[in-house]
């Protein structure tokens, strides 16, 4: 009896050890926990308005340029007309966020839901919705982090004066921001004015494959209008001016009572040299300046990087003295959206061929295919190095990682171990960077739900929760990563054996 017991408990121990080994192999060493992050550091997840809200034509909302773009067939033929219907389901979703242990939530406000004409009268139903949503988050102890613009400019402003191409946007955007401060600022302290300004400009005005879909040959070939050589620069310029106008307003009229912060978001592509050849090393540095320095340099030094000014000449706008002063110091924090690292190889021929610098050595030197791959390679050192670069080159401005995550096919499986592996590795590199002095203050995984993706529509998703679009109820299903993140956030060992058992019960999604 005794012997038998000993034997079976020995076997049991062996089994446990085997499972643990497997977990360590699958998820990497669980060498950090929630409690290792500094006090005040917050963890959350996010989505943006058009990707999840749905109710696109309801209660007074008017179309944005993203609606137009999607209806023209660009998001894989899909649209956000219904999306995840968060507009109606926000209470259940906030409950799900709370169950997942989210400490903060990042979402965006649909400008054309709140102010259907882009300027002027507020839509009472839109106002009501965002008030309810924010109240619901707060009553569940979840800190709201709000983005004002996430690729969804009211179509009416695009039609009237070309949206972000025009200086007129500064006044309209500032007035929209003021409505948000007035109405929501008593409860919201973290404001991000503009999402991924650099990618908005490149995708929308250079390649032309994101809204509003402008470009010119040879850089983008399928646009009916645009100028890839000049417009991306004008758009970012106007975004920086609009942002700093909003910050000035906030600091003057709201900061003392609301005590919040106004930040700006960039797409943090990290570029490393393909080889140690000097030309590659220099090309990688230049590419980082074109992506990240483009935004960071004005915020810290009041001007664009000299390498950009040299390459773009008169095509890049100049800051007046007044504007430079306004922009410099206008970001309380940087929202960093990081997905991947690319390897940059110097290609002299492309510099000669193209008048445009982006075509010259950014586009040519890394493959866009890398960004469109099915899954991102797991290169956590890239995020670490990017955070080091921001710390060293740009004064260690406070940072919130606002997006980071792995995509998987929507029709794949709930057993998303590749997402867990990715998140575990990248969150670990954030901790490493913090330990070496980076002022990173928060981390938002992308994304909470599988929503409409800008390029992929509903073909792939980043969510912790799968949304069954064929189900009239649009039911949400947790992926394994949702359990994993919940365990991590609750301070539990996130690679415990129950997780594996859960994983073994999760089914593939048989949808085509
Ligand atoms: C978490 O569990 C794994 C597997 O059971 C174990 O190897 C690891 O040491 C644990 N980590 C912590 C921080 O307790
Ligand atoms: C341009 O549009 C055509 C026709 O829709 C399509 O076949 C082609 O792949 C597009 N080219 C690019 C670079 O997107
Ligand atoms: C883009 O604008 C520049 C500067 O105004 C001009 O030289 C160039 O011809 C324009 N390109 C196109 C495709 O319109
Ligand atoms: C560059 O040089 C370093 C140090 O000599 C070496 O470790 C690294 O592998 C080299 N990188 C490449 C891409 O050749
Ligand atoms: C965790 O372990 C990995 C691999 O051993 C290491 O690179 C990383 O620095 C560690 N991270 C932390 C936060 O200890
Ligand atoms: C840590 O930070 C210091 C100071 O900013 C820097 O010199 C050093 O290279 C960093 N170490 C690593 C391993 O990144
Ligand atoms: C292990 O994970 C499960 C599933 O999320 C959780 O319910 C359980 O509390 C965890 N156990 C420990 C010891 O952390
Ligand atoms: C889930 O993934 C793990 C790790 O890849 C694997 O061991 C397990 O069999 C998978 N479960 C199912 C149901 O496919
Ligand atoms: C999932 O979708 C992809 C892309 O649409 C398709 O290639 C693949 O065959 C689908 N897989 C399943 C299991 O339906």
């Amino acid at each position: 009896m005794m012997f038998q017991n000993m034997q079976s408990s020995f076997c049991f121990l062996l089994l446990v050890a085997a499972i643990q080994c497997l977990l360590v192999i699958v998820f990497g060493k669980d060498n950090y926990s929630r409690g290792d992050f500094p006090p005040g550091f917050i963890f959350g997840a996010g989505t943006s308005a058009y990707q999840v809200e749905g109710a696109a034509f309801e209660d007074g909302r008017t179309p944005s340029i993203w609606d137009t773009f999607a209806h023209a067939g660009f998001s894989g033929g899909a649209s956000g007309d219904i999306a995840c219907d968060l507009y109606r389901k926000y209470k259940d979703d906030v409950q799900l966020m709370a169950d997942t242990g989210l400490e903060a939530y990042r979402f965006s406000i649909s400008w054309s839901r709140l102010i259907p004409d882009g300027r002027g009268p507020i839509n009472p139903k839109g106002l009501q919705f965002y008030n309810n949503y924010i109240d619901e988050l707060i009553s569940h102890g979840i800190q709201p982090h709000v983005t004002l613009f996430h690729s969804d400019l009211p179509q009416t402003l695009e039609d009237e004066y070309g949206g972000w191409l025009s200086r007129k946007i500064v006044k309209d955007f500032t007035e929209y921001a003021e409505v948000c401060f007035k109405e929501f600022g008593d409860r919201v302290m973290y404001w991000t004015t503009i999402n991924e300004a650099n990618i908005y400009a490149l995708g929308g005005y250079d390649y032309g494959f994101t809204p509003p879909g402008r470009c010119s040959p040879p850089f983008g070939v399928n646009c009916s209008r645009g100028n890839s050589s000049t417009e991306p620069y004008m758009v970012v310029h106007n975004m920086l001016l609009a942002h700093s106008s909003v910050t000035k307003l906030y600091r003057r009229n709201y900061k003392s009572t609301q005590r919040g912060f106004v930040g700006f978001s960039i797409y943090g592509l990290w570029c490393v040299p393909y080889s140690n050849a000097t030309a590659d090393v220099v090309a990688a540095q230049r590419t980082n300046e074109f992506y990240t320095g483009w935004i960071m340099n004005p915020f810290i030094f009041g001007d664009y990087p000299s390498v950009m000014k040299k390459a773009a000449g008169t095509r890049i706008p100049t800051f007046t003295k007044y504007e430079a002063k306004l922009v410099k110091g206008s970001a309380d924090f940087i929202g960093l959206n990081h997905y991947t690292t690319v390897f940059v190889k110097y290609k002299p021929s492309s510099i000669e061929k193209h008048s445009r610098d982006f075509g010259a050595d950014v586009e040519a030197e890394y493959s866009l295919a890398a960004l469109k791959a099915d899954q991102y390679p797991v290169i956590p050192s890239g995020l670490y190095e990017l955070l080091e670069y921001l710390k060293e080159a740009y004064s260690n401005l406070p940072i919130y990682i606002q997006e980071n995550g792995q995509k998987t096919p929507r029709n794949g499986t709930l057993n998303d171990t590749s997402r867990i592996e990715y998140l575990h590795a990248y969150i670990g590199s954030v901790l490493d960077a913090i330990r070496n002095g980076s002022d990173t203050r928060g981390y938002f995984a992308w994304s909470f739900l599988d929503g409409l993706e800008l390029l992929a529509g509903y073909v792939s998703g980043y969510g912790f929760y799968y949304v069954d679009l064929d189900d009239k109820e649009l039911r949400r299903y947790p992926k394994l990563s949702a359990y994993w993140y919940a365990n991590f956030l609750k301070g539990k060992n996130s690679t415990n054996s129950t997780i594996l058992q859960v994983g073994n019960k999760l089914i593939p999604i048989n949808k085509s």
Side-chain angles (χ1 to χ4, degrees), residues 20 24 30 493 495:
Q20 289 182 353
V24 170
D30 197 13
N493 188 338
T495 58

Side-chain angles (χ1 to χ4, degrees), residues 40-62:
F41 191 94
I42 46 118
F43 275 99
T47 52
S48 87
Y50 190 64
Q51 295 177 273
V52 295
E53 280 180 10
F57 307 105
E58 289 169 54
D59 291 348
R61 183 184 179 277
T62 62

Side-chain angles (χ1 to χ4, degrees), residues 85-96:
D85 201 20
L86 179 134
Y87 187 71
R88 283 190 193 75
K89 295 179 170 292
Y90 70 93
K91 284 193 177 175
D92 293 342
D93 285 333
V94 171
Q95 185 59 53
L96 212 50

Side-chain angles (χ1 to χ4, degrees), residues 216 226-227 230:
S216 62
N227 186 334
T230 54

Side-chain angles (χ1 to χ4, degrees), residues 11-72:
C11 284
F12 177 72
L13 283 177
L14 268 183
L15 184 67
V16 168
I19 288 173
Q20 289 182 353
C21 274
L22 182 67
L23 280 165
V24 170
I25 290 161
V26 172
F27 301 138
K29 201 161 164 288
D30 197 13
N31 57 350
Y32 65 84
S33 69
R34 171 68 187 95
D36 293 328
F37 286 79
F41 191 94
I42 46 118
F43 275 99
T47 52
S48 87
Y50 190 64
Q51 295 177 273
V52 295
E53 280 180 10
F57 307 105
E58 289 169 54
D59 291 348
R61 183 184 179 277
T62 62
S64 75
I65 59 171
W66 195 343
D67 295 61
T68 308
F69 184 81
H71 281 275

